[in-house]
Amino acid sequence: MPAPADIVKVAIEWPGAFPKLMEIDQKKPLSAIIKEVCEGWNLPNPETFALQNADSTNFYITEKNRNNIKNGSILRLTTSAAQMAQQLHERIQSSSMDMKLDALKDLANSSRDITFAQEFINLDGISLLTQMVESGTDFGDLLSFTLTAFVELMDHGIVSWDTFSVAFIKKIASYVCKSAMDTAVLQRSLAILESMVLNSQDLYQKVAQEITIGQLIPHLQGTDQDIQTYTIAVINALFLKAPEEKRQEMAHILAQKQLRSIILSNVIRSNKPINDEMAHQLYVLQVLTFNLLEDRMMTKMDPQDQAQRDIIFELRRIAFDVECESNNSGSIEKRKSMYTRDYKKLGFINHVNPAVDFTQIPPGMLALDNMLYFARHHQDAYIRIVLENSSREDKHECPFGRSSIELTKMLCEILKVGELPSENCHDFHPMFFTHDRSFEEFFCICIQLLNKTWKEMRATSEDFNKVMQVVKEQITRALTIKPNSLDQFKSRLQNLSYTEILKLRQSERMNQEDFQSRPILELREKIQPEIMELIKQQRLNRLCEGTCFRKISSRRRQDKFWYCRLSPNHKVLHYGDLEESPQGEVPHDSLQDKLPVADIKAVVTGKDCPHMKEKGALKQNKEVLELAFSVLYESDEYLNFIAPDKHEYCVWTDGLNALLGKEMTSEFTRSDMDTLLNMEMKLRLLDLENIQIPEVPPPIPKEPSNYDFVYDCN
């Protein structure tokens, strides 16, 4: 008798017959089980049949995934994947339009299953679909389902994108360029172009020749957010893959076509709420736009370059309303003395040759660009800051030059200039889409803030780093509310004065106050296990609620989801695919797959995960790497996760480690421990307020000379 663990009780359906309840021996070959099922219904040729999940996925059961069959699963006896692929391969070539349409619908649905996809691709099915597209004879639903099937088949990563002809690319591009095109066809065409660009440098060149930004812009002016999302995704892909020298040129074209203002009016300020995918694409566009600054940020100033030196002369001219003197006016020493005095007033570190200040990278020449922009476009504010500080006592002047250089460097760090966009981030700021020179305007607001904070702190040159820390805190706190415009950002900063920052810091410090006396430390140690147990229960409760995870591949945007949750008795992980992102909790019974906690061998994270070792775009992305974890439950079987954010990553890795009896080590656990421990300590010490707690316990009294004493109860 096989062990009970190898026996799975399932129901098997067959059209027109009563479902059959049977026990499947997982050690028995799948072909033998199918043969047994076929014999029960008197069906000949069992080799032409297969088992399939009778759920929304309809995925085939194979020797690789059969371990996912759980007790109570409902399976369906159906045509084998090879047979189905052969039939659909013939049917999509039918001369009858109705038969062809039905076949393409079935193909689009079946292609989501990798088992079927492999069989169809083996029949050279991808080539057949591309020929059908290239022929140009199909329109409407026929073309829509053809492209859908193509996208689903390519998503499995079985066929290289480099294999497609120029004729196919031209045809797909033509669907995007047409003004009146079926929405579904346009959506699939944009998705195909994005994947081509992201997955092949050679195809990027070909797509870039066929599609212009001007042809994509009209799709952003419609009302369909999905089309807008796919369009921005294609623009981002072209931007990302463009050679360094072409990115500035492309940015210039985007500015000419008023892409920013079109996105602002038709997407950001439209009546529809922005979904996660659109937020991600806007974030990517924001990152790629700011990354154009990297070249200037990493370019040192050449002190011998006269054109660059002229910019510094221009800053001096605007500030002090002086024209550059001719070489004959006055002695050389007098001119040098005058320049040195003015450069000192401008706040440069090197008063003799301020060009040396811009040799530090980052921020390099970007700092000088910002200063010149401020001087030209906000001239009154610039002159006021420079003259105001030059008239103060030396020790209290805010050095404009040095401040501008450090501030530019800080803003680049805050906006992560030069870093690749993250796969899971949706952190775009609407205010950066409200101005063509948003970074420069951002700098202009922040340099005025820095000057204001300097005065509020009554700072001296020794306090420079302290002021910069406060300014950084003011900026990051203001950015957290995602201002809709630069004016809103400015207003928020007005409310975050130095006094307000001190209040916020004090409030946070009081919440995190750490008592260091020995009795307090001993009490903390005593309470700590109780708090850790509380955190553990919270993590397990969150696992019981479950989380929706997005499936991500080399073509990121698939909108495919799966859900995982822990059973209330903490003994089983239930998981399964979803058609769309759920609005609330997903009940256990709708999740077909199960994994007993007792079968889990280990939890691995980051680059140790199997899905992070595979070739592809994910491997190169640092942030995705930080959100990846896998559950090992057989010698080589894994359940792979990519958490939606850092919080969910910490919750799940903590919860899984708690289930395995291991220590919870995430940064969120440490943070929760500190917060809860400090709260508990304060509650317990309420009665001791204003009472001095001694550093050492009071001495134990000496023993009495005798123990001949008794308490008389009478």
Side-chain angles (χ1 to χ4, degrees), residues 526-541:
K526 187 177 178 182
I527 297 172
Q528 210 157 337
E530 300 172 26
I531 302 295
M532 187 57 79
E533 184 60 29
L534 188 66
I535 294 171
K536 176 183 171 182
Q537 290 306 318
Q538 188 273 338
R539 298 293 192 263
L540 295 177
N541 289 341

Side-chain angles (χ1 to χ4, degrees), residues 357-559:
D357 288 12
F358 299 98
T359 55
Q360 172 196 348
I361 54 170
M365 286 297 290
L366 184 60
L368 188 58
D369 295 343
N370 283 340
M371 292 166 73
L372 184 63
Y373 181 90
F374 181 50
R376 285 179 173 170
H377 294 84
H378 299 269
Q379 199 169 103
D380 291 345
Y382 167 69
I383 292 170
R384 188 184 71 251
I385 287 175
V386 173
L387 296 184
E388 196 178 83
N389 285 293
S390 62
S391 63
R392 285 187 200 165
E393 296 176 40
D394 277 356
K395 63 176 184 176
H396 283 295
E397 64 183 14
C398 176
F400 173 73
R402 183 185 175 192
S403 299
S404 298
I405 292 166
E406 287 303 316
L407 180 65
T408 301
K409 183 180 178 182
M410 181 203 294
L411 297 183
C412 289
E413 288 171 1
I414 290 171
L415 297 176
K416 300 181 179 178
V417 174
E419 292 186 22
L420 283 174
S422 158
E423 283 285 346
N424 292 300
C425 189
H426 311 123
D427 191 23
F428 83 96
H429 293 275
M431 73 176 192
F432 291 129
F433 289 85
T434 62
H435 202 286
D436 288 325
R437 303 288 293 274
S438 59
F439 184 80
E440 288 87 344
E441 288 293 325
F442 185 43
F443 168 84
C444 293
I445 292 169
C446 294
I447 191 68
Q448 293 176 75
L449 167 74
L450 193 153
N451 190 61
K452 173 175 167 281
T453 303
W454 186 281
K455 288 189 286 185
E456 289 172 350
M457 291 177 68
R458 296 176 182 173
T460 63
S461 54
E462 286 81 17
D463 301 320
F464 186 85
N465 290 333
K466 288 181 187 175
V467 176
M468 295 306 294
Q469 286 171 5
V470 173
V471 170
K472 184 173 185 176
E473 192 172 337
Q474 289 170 314
I475 294 168
T476 50
R477 284 182 187 273
L479 286 175
T480 53
I481 64 164
K482 300 284 182 72
N484 288 319
S485 67
L486 290 162
D487 285 338
Q488 272 190 25
F489 175 67
K490 197 186 293 185
S491 300
R492 176 63 180 147
L493 288 176
Q494 290 295 328
N495 297 328
L496 283 171
S497 63
Y498 176 57
T499 309
E500 184 62 25
I501 291 292
L502 286 179
K503 285 179 185 174
L504 290 167
R505 283 181 175 179
Q506 187 168 356
S507 170
E508 289 167 3
R509 197 180 298 120
M510 285 184 69
N511 290 334
Q512 298 169 358
E513 194 173 12
D514 194 14
F515 302 101
Q516 295 300 321
S517 65
R518 185 177 153 194
I520 300 295
L521 292 174
E522 287 178 0
L523 179 60
R524 284 176 71 92
E525 284 178 24
K526 187 177 178 182
I527 297 172
Q528 210 157 337
E530 300 172 26
I531 302 295
M532 187 57 79
E533 184 60 29
L534 188 66
I535 294 171
K536 176 183 171 182
Q537 290 306 318
Q538 188 273 338
R539 298 293 192 263
L540 295 177
N541 289 341
R542 275 290 292 109
L543 262 61
C544 291
E545 290 172 17
T547 302
C548 179
F549 297 92
R550 187 189 290 268
K551 290 190 171 182
I552 300 178
S553 74
S554 56
R555 189 180 75 84
R556 180 190 182 275
R557 193 183 1 74
Q558 298 182 79
D559 289 330

Side-chain angles (χ1 to χ4, degrees), residues 627-663:
L627 298 176
F629 61 99
S630 299
V631 172
L632 170 64
Y633 61 94
E634 292 291 343
S635 56
D636 59 349
E637 291 290 329
Y638 287 86
L639 187 59
N640 295 321
F641 298 76
I642 294 178
D645 52 49
K646 191 69 178 174
H647 180 263
E648 289 296 324
Y649 170 84
C650 291
V651 165
W652 274 85
T653 50
D654 281 345
L656 291 168
N657 280 324
L659 286 172
L660 297 178
K662 295 182 178 178
E663 189 181 352

Side-chain angles (χ1 to χ4, degrees), residues 312-351:
I312 298 176
F313 292 147
E314 177 73 354
L315 290 172
R316 175 176 174 265
R317 185 193 67 75
I318 295 171
F320 305 115
D321 196 21
V322 293
E323 296 299 329
C324 292
E325 297 83 355
S326 64
N327 288 333
N328 297 326
S329 62
S331 67
I332 295 173
E333 287 75 16
K334 185 181 177 183
R335 283 206 316 276
K336 277 186 178 179
S337 171
M338 203 182 331
Y339 278 118
T340 300
R341 183 198 67 209
D342 289 349
Y343 290 149
K344 185 179 180 184
K345 288 180 180 179
L346 279 169
F348 290 112
I349 298 171
N350 191 315
H351 306 150

Side-chain angles (χ1 to χ4, degrees), residues 84-135:
M84 177 69 77
Q86 185 65 52
Q87 289 173 9
L88 287 176
H89 194 274
E90 293 167 3
R91 284 170 57 203
I92 62 174
Q93 300 178 72
S94 170
S95 56
S96 164
M97 289 295 110
D98 289 339
M99 284 183 65
K100 189 174 183 179
L101 180 61
D102 288 340
L104 285 167
K105 281 182 184 176
D106 291 343
L107 178 63
N109 188 48
S110 299
S111 296
R112 293 177 301 141
D113 184 358
I114 192 168
T115 308
F116 169 85
Q118 186 70 67
E119 295 293 345
F120 189 78
I121 288 167
N122 290 343
L123 296 171
D124 213 14
I126 294 277
S127 297
L128 177 59
L129 292 177
T130 55
Q131 287 165 20
M132 289 167 64
V133 172
E134 287 172 22
S135 69

Side-chain angles (χ1 to χ4, degrees), residues 53-57 68-75 563 573-577 586-595:
N53 287 307
D55 56 18
S56 56
T57 63
N68 294 333
I69 303 173
K70 306 299 177 187
N71 280 316
S73 297
I74 301 174
L75 309 180
Y563 200 88
L573 282 176
H574 297 264
Y575 62 97
D577 292 339
V586 177
H588 295 101
D589 50 13
S590 65
L591 302 172
Q592 298 294 326
D593 301 314
K594 298 176 186 175
L595 171 59

